[in-house]
């Protein structure tokens, strides 16, 4: 579950990412934070530091992860173990970045950033509740069509969003065993 996000006067990349790790965000929640916070910071750093600066390069990598890579990798079945969660991925990313990037102070005021984080957290919680209802509906459908690989894959995605990673992994194995193929999948977005 998500923990309470502290109110900060200023944010560094490290404090932003540490707060993100505490949150239970859906792909759309990550997208919102990427769009509302990271994109602006990437633009400003690009203007102030130049496109080849390590801070700019890492901000762009973070932005891509938040706006598209996480969801795409989830849909493709590349993310299916607990070590692949957004929090774990953010931790790995942070460990691989230089201190100059981690200590970079965001230009947006802390009040604005924390407001975006809280709004994304609330929206993600509502989405998670919706996925809980979807999971129940998919379970009923699977009783009728137990050999449908697409239903098993949809169940995997719902379970993943719900944070039930072991069950999501099992559903993925079942979908693959029944012939699910990411190139033929009808699921194109979460």
């Amino acid at each position: 579950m998500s923990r309470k996000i502290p109110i900060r006067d200023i944010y560094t990349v490290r404090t932003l990412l540490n707060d993100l790790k505490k949150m239970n965000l859906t792909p759309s929640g990550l997208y919102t934070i990427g769009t509302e916070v990271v994109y602006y910071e990437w633009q400003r750093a690009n203007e102030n530091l130049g496109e080849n600066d390590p801070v700019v390069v890492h901000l762009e990598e973070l932005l891509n992860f938040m706006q598209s890579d996480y969801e795409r990798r989830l849909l493709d079945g590349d993310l299916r173990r607990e070590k692949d969660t957004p929090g774990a991925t953010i931790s790995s990313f942070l460990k691989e970045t230089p201190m100059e990037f981690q200590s970079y102070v965001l230009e947006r005021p802390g009040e604005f950033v924390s407001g975006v984080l809280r709004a994304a957290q609330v929206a993600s919680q509502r989405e998670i509740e919706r996925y809980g209802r979807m999971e129940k509906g998919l379970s009923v459908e699977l009783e009728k069509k137990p050999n449908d690989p697409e239903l098993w894959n949809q169940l995997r995605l719902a379970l993943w969003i719900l944070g039930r990673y072991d069950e999501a992994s099992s559903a993925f194995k079942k979908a693959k065993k029944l012939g699910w193929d990411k190139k033929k999948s009808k699921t194109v977005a979460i």
Side-chain angles (χ1 to χ4, degrees), residues 24-60:
N24 190 12
L25 294 170
T26 60
S28 64
L30 275 176
Y31 180 86
T32 298
I33 295 166
T35 300
E36 298 293 326
V37 177
V38 179
Y39 179 74
Y40 176 84
E41 298 300 334
W42 169 73
Q43 279 187 314
R44 298 296 297 147
N46 196 19
E47 291 169 11
N48 296 331
L49 304 171
E51 66 182 42
N52 295 324
D53 189 89
V55 170
V56 175
V57 170
H58 291 298
L59 279 171
E60 185 173 14

Side-chain angles (χ1 to χ4, degrees), residues 69-83:
D69 293 350
Y70 177 70
E71 182 178 21
R72 173 61 33 219
R73 292 181 64 209
L74 184 58
L75 287 169
D76 287 349
D78 297 337
L79 305 177
R80 59 184 176 273
R81 299 169 305 251
E82 193 159 358
K83 70 178 187 173

Side-chain angles (χ1 to χ4, degrees), residues 99-161:
M99 190 52 72
E100 172 189 15
F101 171 69
Q102 294 178 26
S103 61
Y104 180 76
V105 177
L106 304 185
E107 290 193 20
R108 290 271 202 197
E111 186 177 316
F112 176 84
V113 175
S114 64
V116 171
L117 295 180
R118 282 175 176 60
Q121 188 174 36
V122 168
S124 288
Q125 189 56 46
R126 286 187 188 127
E127 214 176 339
I128 288 167
E129 290 167 5
R130 185 173 56 88
Y131 274 94
R133 292 187 299 273
M134 284 176 55
E135 185 259 339
K136 289 178 179 138
L138 287 166
S139 295
V140 169
E141 284 296 309
L142 279 166
E143 287 177 17
K144 298 174 192 171
K145 300 178 191 175
N147 294 322
D148 186 331
E150 193 65 34
L151 284 176
W152 281 103
N153 183 56
Q154 290 173 11
L155 179 64
R156 168 187 71 92
L157 294 169
L159 292 168
W160 184 270
I161 298 295

